[in-house]
Amino acid sequence: MFERPGIGERAILVHMDLNDESNREHLAEFEELAASAGATVVDIATTRRHSPDPKYFIGRGKAEEIHDRIKAGDAELVLFNHALSPSQERNLEALFECRVLDRTGLILDIFAQRARTFEGKLQVELAQLKHLSTRLIRGWTHLERQKGGIGLRGPGETQLETDRRLLNVRIKQINKRLTKVRKQREQGRQSRRKAEVPTVAFVGYTNAGKSTLFNALTASDVYAQDQLFATLDPTLRRLEMADGQKVILADTVGFIRHLPHDLVESFRSTLQETEQAHLLCHIIDASDEMRMENIEAVERVLEEIGADEVPQIQIMNKIDRMGVEPRIDTDDDGKVTRIWVSALTGEGLDLIQSVLVDYFKQDQIQGVLCLRPDQARMRALLYGISAVQGEEVDAAGNCLLTINVAKRDLMQMASRENIQAELLIPGAESKTLAAAV
Protein backbone atom coordinates (compact mmCIF):
# COMPACT_ATOMS: atom_id res chain seq x y z
CA MET A 1 0.00 0.00 0.00
CA PHE A 2 1.16 3.56 -0.67
CA GLU A 3 -0.23 7.07 -0.42
CA ARG A 4 -1.23 7.98 -3.97
CA PRO A 5 0.40 11.23 -5.18
CA GLY A 6 -2.05 13.98 -6.06
CA ILE A 7 -0.06 16.04 -8.54
CA GLY A 8 2.42 15.56 -11.36
CA GLU A 9 2.87 16.75 -14.94
CA ARG A 10 6.22 15.13 -15.89
CA ALA A 11 5.07 12.05 -17.75
CA ILE A 12 6.36 8.90 -19.40
CA LEU A 13 4.23 7.71 -22.31
CA VAL A 14 3.71 3.96 -22.76
CA HIS A 15 2.57 2.63 -26.14
CA MET A 16 2.12 -1.03 -27.01
CA ASP A 17 1.52 -2.45 -30.50
CA LEU A 18 -1.05 -5.21 -30.47
CA ASN A 19 -1.87 -7.70 -33.20
CA ASP A 20 -5.56 -7.02 -32.62
CA GLU A 21 -6.34 -4.29 -35.18
CA SER A 22 -9.57 -3.26 -33.40
CA ASN A 23 -7.61 -2.25 -30.26
CA ARG A 24 -4.63 -0.67 -32.03
CA GLU A 25 -3.83 2.95 -31.21
CA HIS A 26 -1.50 5.47 -32.87
CA LEU A 27 1.49 6.87 -31.03
CA ALA A 28 1.44 10.27 -32.78
CA GLU A 29 -2.18 10.84 -31.72
CA PHE A 30 -1.31 9.77 -28.17
CA GLU A 31 1.48 12.38 -28.04
CA GLU A 32 -1.03 15.02 -29.13
CA LEU A 33 -3.42 13.91 -26.38
CA ALA A 34 -0.66 14.21 -23.77
CA ALA A 35 0.28 17.68 -25.05
CA SER A 36 -3.39 18.75 -25.00
CA ALA A 37 -3.62 17.66 -21.36
CA GLY A 38 -0.58 19.81 -20.50
CA ALA A 39 1.82 16.96 -19.73
CA THR A 40 5.57 17.39 -20.05
CA VAL A 41 6.79 14.25 -21.80
CA VAL A 42 10.18 13.13 -20.45
CA ASP A 43 10.32 9.69 -22.09
CA ILE A 44 8.40 7.37 -24.43
CA ALA A 45 8.40 3.60 -23.91
CA THR A 46 7.18 1.32 -26.70
CA THR A 47 6.73 -2.43 -26.81
CA ARG A 48 4.96 -5.15 -28.78
CA ARG A 49 2.86 -8.07 -27.56
CA HIS A 50 0.36 -10.52 -29.02
CA SER A 51 -2.04 -9.82 -26.14
CA PRO A 52 -2.00 -7.74 -22.92
CA ASP A 53 -0.52 -9.19 -19.76
CA PRO A 54 -3.34 -9.74 -17.23
CA LYS A 55 -1.36 -8.27 -14.30
CA TYR A 56 0.78 -5.47 -15.75
CA PHE A 57 -0.66 -5.12 -19.28
CA ILE A 58 2.87 -4.70 -20.72
CA GLY A 59 4.48 -7.63 -18.91
CA ARG A 60 6.64 -7.76 -15.80
CA GLY A 61 9.96 -7.18 -17.53
CA LYS A 62 8.85 -4.09 -19.43
CA ALA A 63 7.12 -2.74 -16.33
CA GLU A 64 10.37 -3.00 -14.32
CA GLU A 65 12.24 -1.26 -17.15
CA ILE A 66 9.75 1.62 -17.03
CA HIS A 67 10.17 1.76 -13.24
CA ASP A 68 13.89 2.43 -13.79
CA ARG A 69 13.08 5.09 -16.39
CA ILE A 70 10.75 6.80 -13.89
CA LYS A 71 13.60 7.12 -11.40
CA ALA A 72 16.07 8.27 -14.07
CA GLY A 73 13.74 10.89 -15.56
CA ASP A 74 12.22 12.01 -12.26
CA ALA A 75 8.78 11.33 -13.75
CA GLU A 76 5.61 11.86 -11.69
CA LEU A 77 3.08 10.26 -14.00
CA VAL A 78 2.86 7.33 -16.44
CA LEU A 79 0.33 7.58 -19.29
CA PHE A 80 -0.82 4.46 -21.15
CA ASN A 81 -2.14 4.67 -24.70
CA HIS A 82 -4.65 1.93 -23.90
CA ALA A 83 -7.56 1.18 -21.60
CA LEU A 84 -6.34 -0.47 -18.37
CA SER A 85 -8.46 -2.57 -16.06
CA PRO A 86 -8.74 -1.32 -12.45
CA SER A 87 -6.51 -4.17 -11.23
CA GLN A 88 -3.84 -3.47 -13.87
CA GLU A 89 -3.84 0.21 -12.95
CA ARG A 90 -3.42 -0.59 -9.24
CA ASN A 91 -0.66 -3.14 -9.87
CA LEU A 92 1.29 -0.69 -12.03
CA GLU A 93 0.92 2.12 -9.48
CA ALA A 94 2.18 -0.15 -6.72
CA LEU A 95 5.23 -1.07 -8.84
CA PHE A 96 5.94 2.42 -10.22
CA GLU A 97 5.11 4.28 -6.97
CA CYS A 98 3.57 7.08 -9.00
CA ARG A 99 0.26 7.87 -10.67
CA VAL A 100 -0.81 5.78 -13.65
CA LEU A 101 -3.43 7.05 -16.08
CA ASP A 102 -4.85 5.15 -19.04
CA ARG A 103 -6.17 6.58 -22.32
CA THR A 104 -9.69 6.95 -20.96
CA GLY A 105 -8.52 8.84 -17.88
CA LEU A 106 -6.36 11.11 -20.04
CA ILE A 107 -9.28 12.02 -22.32
CA LEU A 108 -11.49 12.67 -19.28
CA ASP A 109 -8.82 15.01 -17.88
CA ILE A 110 -8.72 16.98 -21.16
CA PHE A 111 -12.51 17.27 -21.16
CA ALA A 112 -12.42 18.49 -17.54
CA GLN A 113 -9.99 21.25 -18.54
CA ARG A 114 -12.03 22.35 -21.58
CA ALA A 115 -15.56 22.34 -20.13
CA ARG A 116 -16.86 25.90 -19.87
CA THR A 117 -20.64 25.75 -19.59
CA PHE A 118 -22.60 24.49 -16.58
CA GLU A 119 -23.91 21.56 -18.62
CA GLY A 120 -20.46 20.65 -19.93
CA LYS A 121 -18.95 20.62 -16.44
CA LEU A 122 -21.76 18.43 -15.14
CA GLN A 123 -21.34 15.98 -18.01
CA VAL A 124 -17.59 15.72 -17.51
CA GLU A 125 -17.98 15.22 -13.76
CA LEU A 126 -20.54 12.48 -14.38
CA ALA A 127 -18.18 10.65 -16.74
CA GLN A 128 -15.30 11.01 -14.27
CA LEU A 129 -17.36 9.65 -11.38
CA LYS A 130 -18.53 6.65 -13.42
CA HIS A 131 -14.92 5.94 -14.37
CA LEU A 132 -13.74 6.40 -10.77
CA SER A 133 -16.43 4.12 -9.35
CA THR A 134 -14.58 1.07 -10.73
CA ARG A 135 -11.28 2.18 -9.19
CA LEU A 136 -12.16 2.74 -5.53
CA ILE A 137 -10.22 -0.29 -4.29
CA ARG A 138 -6.90 -0.38 -2.41
CA GLY A 139 -5.12 2.48 -4.11
CA TRP A 140 -5.10 4.77 -1.09
CA THR A 141 -4.14 4.07 2.52
CA HIS A 142 -7.15 5.97 3.93
CA LEU A 143 -9.44 3.39 2.32
CA GLU A 144 -8.21 0.54 4.53
CA ARG A 145 -10.81 -1.17 6.71
CA GLN A 146 -11.23 0.54 10.07
CA LYS A 147 -9.24 -1.08 12.85
CA GLY A 148 -10.62 -2.01 16.27
CA GLY A 149 -9.51 -0.56 19.56
CA ILE A 150 -10.44 2.30 21.84
CA GLY A 151 -11.34 5.38 19.81
CA LEU A 152 -11.11 3.54 16.51
CA ARG A 153 -14.44 1.72 16.50
CA GLY A 154 -16.75 3.29 13.93
CA PRO A 155 -20.30 2.62 12.77
CA GLY A 156 -19.12 -0.49 10.92
CA GLU A 157 -18.76 1.17 7.50
CA THR A 158 -15.32 1.26 5.90
CA GLN A 159 -13.99 4.44 4.34
CA LEU A 160 -14.20 2.67 0.98
CA GLU A 161 -17.91 1.97 1.46
CA THR A 162 -18.50 5.55 2.58
CA ASP A 163 -16.74 6.93 -0.50
CA ARG A 164 -18.70 4.62 -2.80
CA ARG A 165 -21.99 5.65 -1.21
CA LEU A 166 -21.18 9.35 -1.46
CA LEU A 167 -20.09 8.87 -5.06
CA ASN A 168 -23.42 7.23 -5.95
CA VAL A 169 -25.31 10.07 -4.25
CA ARG A 170 -23.39 12.62 -6.32
CA ILE A 171 -24.07 10.69 -9.56
CA LYS A 172 -27.81 10.78 -8.82
CA GLN A 173 -27.65 14.54 -8.14
CA ILE A 174 -25.86 15.20 -11.44
CA ASN A 175 -28.33 13.05 -13.38
CA LYS A 176 -31.23 15.07 -11.94
CA ARG A 177 -29.59 18.36 -12.96
CA LEU A 178 -28.80 17.06 -16.44
CA THR A 179 -32.43 15.99 -16.84
CA LYS A 180 -33.46 19.62 -16.33
CA VAL A 181 -30.84 20.80 -18.84
CA ARG A 182 -32.08 18.24 -21.39
CA LYS A 183 -35.61 19.60 -21.03
CA GLN A 184 -34.32 23.13 -21.66
CA ARG A 185 -32.43 21.97 -24.75
CA GLU A 186 -35.53 20.19 -26.03
CA GLN A 187 -37.54 23.40 -25.60
CA GLY A 188 -34.96 25.19 -27.71
CA ARG A 189 -35.19 22.53 -30.41
CA GLN A 190 -38.99 22.74 -30.41
CA SER A 191 -38.78 26.52 -30.83
CA ARG A 192 -36.49 26.08 -33.84
CA ARG A 193 -38.86 23.51 -35.35
CA LYS A 194 -41.83 25.84 -34.86
CA ALA A 195 -39.87 28.62 -36.55
CA GLU A 196 -39.19 26.13 -39.39
CA VAL A 197 -35.43 26.74 -39.18
CA PRO A 198 -33.48 23.61 -40.17
CA THR A 199 -30.40 22.57 -38.17
CA VAL A 200 -27.03 21.58 -39.66
CA ALA A 201 -24.64 19.87 -37.24
CA PHE A 202 -20.87 19.89 -37.77
CA VAL A 203 -19.36 16.54 -36.79
CA GLY A 204 -15.95 15.04 -37.36
CA TYR A 205 -12.73 13.76 -35.90
CA THR A 206 -11.11 16.01 -33.34
CA ASN A 207 -8.82 18.67 -34.83
CA ALA A 208 -10.35 18.34 -38.32
CA GLY A 209 -11.10 22.08 -38.40
CA LYS A 210 -14.79 22.12 -37.40
CA SER A 211 -14.58 25.23 -35.23
CA THR A 212 -12.44 27.13 -37.75
CA LEU A 213 -14.97 26.38 -40.49
CA PHE A 214 -17.84 27.25 -38.15
CA ASN A 215 -16.25 30.63 -37.36
CA ALA A 216 -15.58 31.34 -41.06
CA LEU A 217 -19.21 30.66 -42.05
CA THR A 218 -20.93 32.44 -39.14
CA ALA A 219 -18.39 35.19 -38.30
CA SER A 220 -18.22 33.79 -34.74
CA ASP A 221 -15.32 33.59 -32.31
CA VAL A 222 -15.59 29.99 -31.09
CA TYR A 223 -12.29 28.85 -29.56
CA ALA A 224 -10.25 27.10 -32.26
CA GLN A 225 -6.72 25.79 -31.84
CA ASP A 226 -4.50 23.17 -33.47
CA GLN A 227 -5.03 20.71 -30.63
CA LEU A 228 -7.26 17.77 -29.79
CA PHE A 229 -10.64 18.58 -28.23
CA ALA A 230 -10.17 22.35 -28.49
CA THR A 231 -13.97 22.67 -28.54
CA LEU A 232 -16.06 20.81 -25.99
CA ASP A 233 -19.30 22.70 -25.40
CA PRO A 234 -21.69 22.86 -28.39
CA THR A 235 -22.30 26.24 -30.01
CA LEU A 236 -25.31 27.18 -32.16
CA ARG A 237 -25.40 30.12 -34.57
CA ARG A 238 -27.91 31.29 -37.17
CA LEU A 239 -26.63 31.48 -40.74
CA GLU A 240 -28.51 33.55 -43.31
CA MET A 241 -27.76 32.33 -46.80
CA ALA A 242 -27.76 34.11 -50.15
CA ASP A 243 -31.47 33.50 -50.91
CA GLY A 244 -32.53 34.78 -47.49
CA GLN A 245 -33.09 31.27 -46.15
CA LYS A 246 -31.89 30.67 -42.59
CA VAL A 247 -30.30 27.60 -41.01
CA ILE A 248 -28.92 26.89 -37.56
CA LEU A 249 -25.31 25.65 -37.54
CA ALA A 250 -24.27 23.53 -34.54
CA ASP A 251 -20.58 23.05 -33.72
CA THR A 252 -20.16 19.87 -31.67
CA VAL A 253 -17.41 18.08 -29.76
CA GLY A 254 -14.86 16.24 -31.88
CA PHE A 255 -14.78 12.44 -31.91
CA ILE A 256 -11.79 10.14 -31.50
CA ARG A 257 -10.98 6.44 -31.78
CA HIS A 258 -12.29 4.42 -28.86
CA LEU A 259 -14.08 7.43 -27.36
CA PRO A 260 -14.77 6.34 -23.75
CA HIS A 261 -18.25 4.88 -23.40
CA ASP A 262 -18.85 6.88 -20.20
CA LEU A 263 -18.24 10.08 -22.17
CA VAL A 264 -20.67 9.09 -24.91
CA GLU A 265 -23.33 8.29 -22.29
CA SER A 266 -22.69 11.46 -20.27
CA PHE A 267 -22.70 13.70 -23.35
CA ARG A 268 -25.84 12.13 -24.84
CA SER A 269 -27.90 15.29 -24.20
CA THR A 270 -25.32 17.40 -26.02
CA LEU A 271 -25.00 14.89 -28.85
CA GLN A 272 -28.76 15.02 -29.40
CA GLU A 273 -28.06 18.18 -31.39
CA THR A 274 -26.38 15.79 -33.83
CA GLU A 275 -29.03 13.09 -33.64
CA GLN A 276 -31.92 15.52 -34.30
CA ALA A 277 -30.24 17.66 -36.95
CA HIS A 278 -31.72 17.84 -40.44
CA LEU A 279 -28.27 17.45 -42.02
CA LEU A 280 -24.80 16.46 -40.87
CA CYS A 281 -21.71 18.11 -42.30
CA HIS A 282 -18.92 15.60 -41.66
CA ILE A 283 -15.74 17.70 -41.50
CA ILE A 284 -12.67 15.72 -42.59
CA ASP A 285 -9.00 16.70 -42.59
CA ALA A 286 -8.28 15.86 -46.23
CA SER A 287 -4.51 16.21 -45.65
CA ASP A 288 -4.42 13.59 -42.87
CA GLU A 289 -2.91 10.28 -43.96
CA MET A 290 -5.22 8.46 -41.53
CA ARG A 291 -8.38 10.17 -42.76
CA MET A 292 -10.10 6.90 -43.75
CA GLU A 293 -9.58 5.49 -40.25
CA ASN A 294 -10.82 8.77 -38.77
CA ILE A 295 -13.95 8.63 -40.94
CA GLU A 296 -14.66 5.10 -39.70
CA ALA A 297 -14.20 6.21 -36.08
CA VAL A 298 -16.71 9.05 -36.53
CA GLU A 299 -19.21 6.74 -38.23
CA ARG A 300 -19.01 4.32 -35.29
CA VAL A 301 -19.79 7.08 -32.78
CA LEU A 302 -22.65 8.37 -34.93
CA GLU A 303 -24.10 4.87 -34.97
CA GLU A 304 -23.73 4.60 -31.20
CA ILE A 305 -25.69 7.81 -30.57
CA GLY A 306 -28.37 6.97 -33.16
CA ALA A 307 -27.36 9.61 -35.72
CA ASP A 308 -26.17 7.25 -38.45
CA GLU A 309 -29.41 7.66 -40.45
CA VAL A 310 -29.26 11.46 -40.57
CA PRO A 311 -28.43 12.68 -44.12
CA GLN A 312 -24.74 13.51 -44.41
CA ILE A 313 -22.41 15.52 -46.65
CA GLN A 314 -18.63 15.23 -46.29
CA ILE A 315 -16.64 18.47 -46.12
CA MET A 316 -13.02 17.80 -47.14
CA ASN A 317 -11.17 20.54 -45.25
CA LYS A 318 -7.56 21.84 -45.33
CA ILE A 319 -7.13 21.62 -49.11
CA ASP A 320 -4.65 24.50 -48.79
CA ARG A 321 -2.15 21.91 -47.51
CA MET A 322 -2.66 19.76 -50.60
CA GLY A 323 -2.73 22.27 -53.45
CA VAL A 324 -6.23 21.10 -54.43
CA GLU A 325 -8.84 23.42 -55.95
CA PRO A 326 -12.25 23.72 -54.26
CA ARG A 327 -14.93 21.58 -55.90
CA ILE A 328 -18.15 19.63 -55.38
CA ASP A 329 -18.32 15.84 -55.87
CA THR A 330 -21.61 14.17 -56.76
CA ASP A 331 -22.77 10.56 -57.15
CA ASP A 332 -24.36 8.97 -60.24
CA ASP A 333 -27.75 10.46 -59.30
CA GLY A 334 -26.35 14.00 -59.06
CA LYS A 335 -26.55 14.03 -55.25
CA VAL A 336 -23.79 16.02 -53.52
CA THR A 337 -21.44 13.75 -51.57
CA ARG A 338 -18.34 15.88 -50.88
CA ILE A 339 -17.31 19.53 -50.86
CA TRP A 340 -13.59 20.37 -50.96
CA VAL A 341 -12.77 23.57 -49.01
CA SER A 342 -10.22 25.36 -46.86
CA ALA A 343 -11.60 26.94 -43.69
CA LEU A 344 -8.28 28.72 -43.14
CA THR A 345 -8.13 30.54 -46.51
CA GLY A 346 -11.88 30.68 -47.18
CA GLU A 347 -11.66 28.76 -50.45
CA GLY A 348 -14.87 26.88 -51.25
CA LEU A 349 -17.01 28.40 -48.49
CA ASP A 350 -19.40 29.75 -51.13
CA LEU A 351 -19.83 26.17 -52.38
CA ILE A 352 -21.04 25.08 -48.94
CA GLN A 353 -23.67 27.81 -48.87
CA SER A 354 -24.90 27.02 -52.38
CA VAL A 355 -25.22 23.31 -51.53
CA LEU A 356 -27.17 24.11 -48.35
CA VAL A 357 -29.55 26.41 -50.27
CA ASP A 358 -30.29 23.72 -52.86
CA TYR A 359 -30.55 20.97 -50.25
CA PHE A 360 -33.17 22.66 -48.08
CA LYS A 361 -35.20 23.84 -51.05
CA GLN A 362 -35.61 20.20 -52.04
CA ASP A 363 -36.15 19.05 -48.46
CA GLN A 364 -39.30 21.11 -47.78
CA ILE A 365 -42.72 19.55 -48.35
CA GLN A 366 -45.76 21.73 -49.09
CA GLY A 367 -49.21 20.43 -49.87
CA VAL A 368 -52.35 18.84 -48.44
CA LEU A 369 -52.22 15.73 -46.26
CA CYS A 370 -55.34 13.58 -45.96
CA LEU A 371 -55.67 11.82 -42.60
CA ARG A 372 -58.43 9.46 -41.51
CA PRO A 373 -60.09 9.96 -38.08
CA ASP A 374 -58.06 7.08 -36.59
CA GLN A 375 -54.84 8.86 -37.60
CA ALA A 376 -55.42 11.80 -35.26
CA ARG A 377 -52.06 11.27 -33.52
CA MET A 378 -50.30 12.23 -36.76
CA ARG A 379 -52.39 15.40 -36.87
CA ALA A 380 -51.38 16.25 -33.28
CA LEU A 381 -47.69 15.72 -34.10
CA LEU A 382 -47.89 18.07 -37.08
CA TYR A 383 -49.59 20.73 -34.97
CA GLY A 384 -46.90 20.20 -32.33
CA ILE A 385 -44.19 21.47 -34.69
CA SER A 386 -46.41 24.21 -36.21
CA ALA A 387 -46.39 22.52 -39.61
CA VAL A 388 -50.15 22.96 -40.23
CA GLN A 389 -51.19 26.08 -42.17
CA GLY A 390 -54.85 25.18 -42.61
CA GLU A 391 -57.38 22.44 -41.97
CA GLU A 392 -60.64 21.23 -43.51
CA VAL A 393 -62.86 18.18 -43.00
CA ASP A 394 -64.31 16.36 -46.01
CA ALA A 395 -67.64 14.52 -46.26
CA ALA A 396 -66.07 11.23 -45.11
CA GLY A 397 -64.72 12.84 -41.92
CA ASN A 398 -61.12 12.90 -43.10
CA CYS A 399 -58.85 15.79 -42.07
CA LEU A 400 -57.34 17.72 -44.96
CA LEU A 401 -54.27 19.46 -43.55
CA THR A 402 -52.39 22.10 -45.53
CA ILE A 403 -48.81 21.57 -44.38
CA ASN A 404 -45.34 23.05 -44.79
CA VAL A 405 -42.84 20.71 -43.19
CA ALA A 406 -39.33 19.33 -43.61
CA LYS A 407 -39.40 16.03 -45.47
CA ARG A 408 -37.29 14.34 -42.79
CA ASP A 409 -39.67 15.38 -39.99
CA LEU A 410 -42.72 14.20 -41.93
CA MET A 411 -41.16 10.82 -42.72
CA GLN A 412 -40.06 10.30 -39.11
CA MET A 413 -43.54 11.06 -37.76
CA ALA A 414 -45.19 8.87 -40.39
CA SER A 415 -42.80 6.03 -39.53
CA ARG A 416 -43.57 6.29 -35.79
CA GLU A 417 -47.30 6.11 -36.54
CA ASN A 418 -46.94 3.25 -39.06
CA ILE A 419 -48.23 5.49 -41.84
CA GLN A 420 -46.94 5.42 -45.41
CA ALA A 421 -47.02 8.93 -46.80
CA GLU A 422 -47.09 9.44 -50.57
CA LEU A 423 -45.08 12.63 -50.85
CA LEU A 424 -45.98 15.27 -53.37
CA ILE A 425 -43.50 17.25 -55.46
CA PRO A 426 -42.37 20.35 -53.48
CA GLY A 427 -44.32 23.42 -54.54
CA ALA A 428 -47.20 21.52 -56.16
CA GLU A 429 -49.85 23.06 -53.89
CA SER A 430 -52.83 21.45 -55.60
CA LYS A 431 -51.72 17.86 -55.00
CA THR A 432 -52.77 15.82 -51.99
CA LEU A 433 -50.59 13.71 -49.71
CA ALA A 434 -52.49 10.46 -49.32
CA ALA A 435 -51.73 8.72 -46.04
CA ALA A 436 -52.46 5.02 -45.67
CA VAL A 437 -51.60 2.35 -43.16
Side-chain angles (χ1 to χ4, degrees), residues 211-423:
S211 296
T212 303
L213 182 60
F214 183 86
N215 288 339
L217 287 170
T218 62
S220 300
D221 56 354
V222 173
Y223 181 71
Q225 286 292 330
D226 185 18
Q227 58 185 197
L228 302 185
F229 300 118
T231 302
L232 178 57
D233 299 301
T235 306
L236 281 73
R237 293 288 187 272
R238 186 185 296 265
L239 173 65
E240 186 166 348
M241 295 181 289
D243 66 341
Q245 188 176 0
K246 299 179 179 64
V247 298
I248 297 294
L249 296 186
D251 185 24
T252 62
V253 61
F255 301 151
I256 197 169
R257 289 180 196 82
H258 305 143
L259 190 66
H261 182 72
D262 287 340
L263 270 180
V264 176
E265 283 299 313
S266 301
F267 277 74
R268 189 163 294 277
S269 62
T270 298
L271 295 173
Q272 278 184 330
E273 296 292 350
T274 300
E275 179 188 354
Q276 299 189 15
H278 295 83
L279 177 68
L280 299 183
C281 283
H282 183 172
I283 316 301
I284 301 165
D285 182 352
S287 65
D288 192 337
E289 295 180 355
M290 297 188 296
R291 62 180 178 274
M292 296 308 299
E293 296 177 40
N294 296 348
I295 291 172
E296 292 176 3
V298 172
E299 296 292 348
R300 281 195 295 271
V301 177
L302 290 176
E303 183 177 0
E304 186 173 354
I305 65 176
D308 52 319
E309 295 184 0
V310 180
Q312 183 184 130
I313 295 176
Q314 293 183 347
I315 309 292
M316 308 299 289
N317 191 26
K318 304 186 182 182
I319 61 172
D320 53 289
R321 297 183 178 182
M322 307 168 62
V324 176
E325 293 296 320
R327 70 174 190 270
I328 296 175
D329 294 343
T330 59
D331 59 17
D332 295 337
D333 297 326
K335 181 181 177 181
V336 176
T337 56
R338 292 187 186 90
I339 309 173
W340 297 74
V341 305
S342 170
L344 187 63
T345 65
E347 297 177 275
L349 298 189
D350 56 328
L351 299 181
I352 295 178
Q353 288 214 28
S354 65
V355 168
L356 292 179
V357 169
D358 292 340
Y359 180 86
F360 287 110
K361 276 183 179 178
Q362 298 171 3
D363 195 49
Q364 202 70 13
I365 300 298
Q366 294 179 331
V368 179
L369 179 64
C370 179
L371 295 175
R372 298 194 310 269
D374 63 333
Q375 296 171 334
R377 281 176 55 87
M378 182 72 174
R379 171 182 175 275
L381 291 172
L382 289 167
Y383 268 103
I385 61 172
S386 300
V388 180
Q389 297 178 329
E391 179 180 2
E392 295 180 4
V393 180
D394 64 13
N398 298 319
C399 288
L400 302 178
L401 303 180
T402 303
I403 62 170
N404 183 359
V405 62
K407 178 180 177 180
R408 174 175 177 264
D409 290 341
L410 180 62
M411 297 304 292
Q412 283 184 341
M413 287 185 284
S415 176
R416 285 200 299 266
E417 297 302 314
N418 294 321
I419 293 175
Q420 294 179 347
E422 180 185 346
L423 301 177

Side-chain angles (χ1 to χ4, degrees), residues 14-64:
V14 180
H15 172 80
M16 185 166 74
D17 282 327
L18 293 167
N19 290 339
D20 184 4
E21 187 65 33
S22 62
N23 290 321
R24 184 169 295 174
E25 305 290 359
H26 296 279
L27 179 57
E29 182 179 86
F30 184 43
E31 292 182 68
E32 288 187 57
L33 280 172
S36 296
T40 301
V41 179
V42 297
D43 199 357
I44 299 176
T46 61
T47 186
R48 182 186 295 273
R49 286 180 66 94
H50 292 290
S51 61
D53 176 67
K55 185 173 183 180
Y56 291 112
F57 189 82
I58 53 176
R60 176 84 188 191
K62 195 67 178 180
E64 291 178 345

Side-chain angles (χ1 to χ4, degrees), residues 40-298:
T40 301
V41 179
V42 297
D43 199 357
I44 299 176
T46 61
T47 186
R48 182 186 295 273
R49 286 180 66 94
H50 292 290
S51 61
D53 176 67
K55 185 173 183 180
Y56 291 112
F57 189 82
I58 53 176
R60 176 84 188 191
K62 195 67 178 180
E64 291 178 345
E65 177 190 325
I66 293 174
H67 175 263
D68 295 337
R69 293 194 188 188
I70 293 170
K71 300 301 182 183
D74 196 22
E76 305 157 310
L77 176 67
V78 179
L79 301 176
F80 277 74
N81 191 21
H82 312 274
L84 300 176
S85 69
S87 61
Q88 288 170 338
E89 189 173 301
R90 291 193 301 273
N91 293 335
L92 288 166
E93 285 187 336
L95 178 63
F96 295 160
E97 297 182 322
C98 71
R99 282 181 60 85
V100 172
L101 206 61
D102 66 358
R103 181 183 174 89
T104 299
L106 181 60
I107 293 175
L108 286 171
D109 183 81
I110 296 173
F111 272 55
Q113 293 181 46
R114 302 285 160 74
R116 294 292 180 268
T117 66
F118 175 70
E119 180 187 12
K121 291 176 181 178
L122 282 179
Q123 290 174 138
V124 171
E125 184 181 354
L126 179 61
Q128 287 178 316
L129 290 177
K130 287 182 177 180
H131 183 65
L132 180 63
S133 64
T134 64
R135 287 160 163 76
L136 282 180
I137 302 176
R138 299 183 62 193
W140 298 258
T141 55
H142 80 282
L143 297 184
E144 291 178 329
R145 181 168 293 277
Q146 295 176 1
K147 300 177 181 178
I150 297 174
L152 295 176
R153 296 185 181 93
E157 184 176 47
T158 66
Q159 182 65 50
L160 174 63
E161 291 166 341
T162 301
D163 284 7
R164 183 177 288 121
R165 176 170 51 80
L166 294 175
L167 184 145
N168 289 332
V169 169
R170 179 58 179 163
I171 288 177
K172 290 180 181 178
Q173 291 175 341
I174 294 175
N175 278 323
K176 286 182 179 179
R177 292 186 181 182
L178 284 175
T179 298
K180 293 181 180 179
V181 175
R182 292 187 185 108
K183 290 180 179 179
Q184 294 172 349
R185 280 195 173 276
E186 182 57 32
Q187 289 175 351
R189 282 190 284 265
Q190 288 179 356
S191 298
R192 293 196 295 273
R193 284 196 292 265
K194 289 180 179 179
E196 298 178 1
V197 181
T199 301
V200 178
F202 281 12
V203 299
Y205 206 77
T206 182
N207 207 26
K210 295 185 304 300
S211 296
T212 303
L213 182 60
F214 183 86
N215 288 339
L217 287 170
T218 62
S220 300
D221 56 354
V222 173
Y223 181 71
Q225 286 292 330
D226 185 18
Q227 58 185 197
L228 302 185
F229 300 118
T231 302
L232 178 57
D233 299 301
T235 306
L236 281 73
R237 293 288 187 272
R238 186 185 296 265
L239 173 65
E240 186 166 348
M241 295 181 289
D243 66 341
Q245 188 176 0
K246 299 179 179 64
V247 298
I248 297 294
L249 296 186
D251 185 24
T252 62
V253 61
F255 301 151
I256 197 169
R257 289 180 196 82
H258 305 143
L259 190 66
H261 182 72
D262 287 340
L263 270 180
V264 176
E265 283 299 313
S266 301
F267 277 74
R268 189 163 294 277
S269 62
T270 298
L271 295 173
Q272 278 184 330
E273 296 292 350
T274 300
E275 179 188 354
Q276 299 189 15
H278 295 83
L279 177 68
L280 299 183
C281 283
H282 183 172
I283 316 301
I284 301 165
D285 182 352
S287 65
D288 192 337
E289 295 180 355
M290 297 188 296
R291 62 180 178 274
M292 296 308 299
E293 296 177 40
N294 296 348
I295 291 172
E296 292 176 3
V298 172

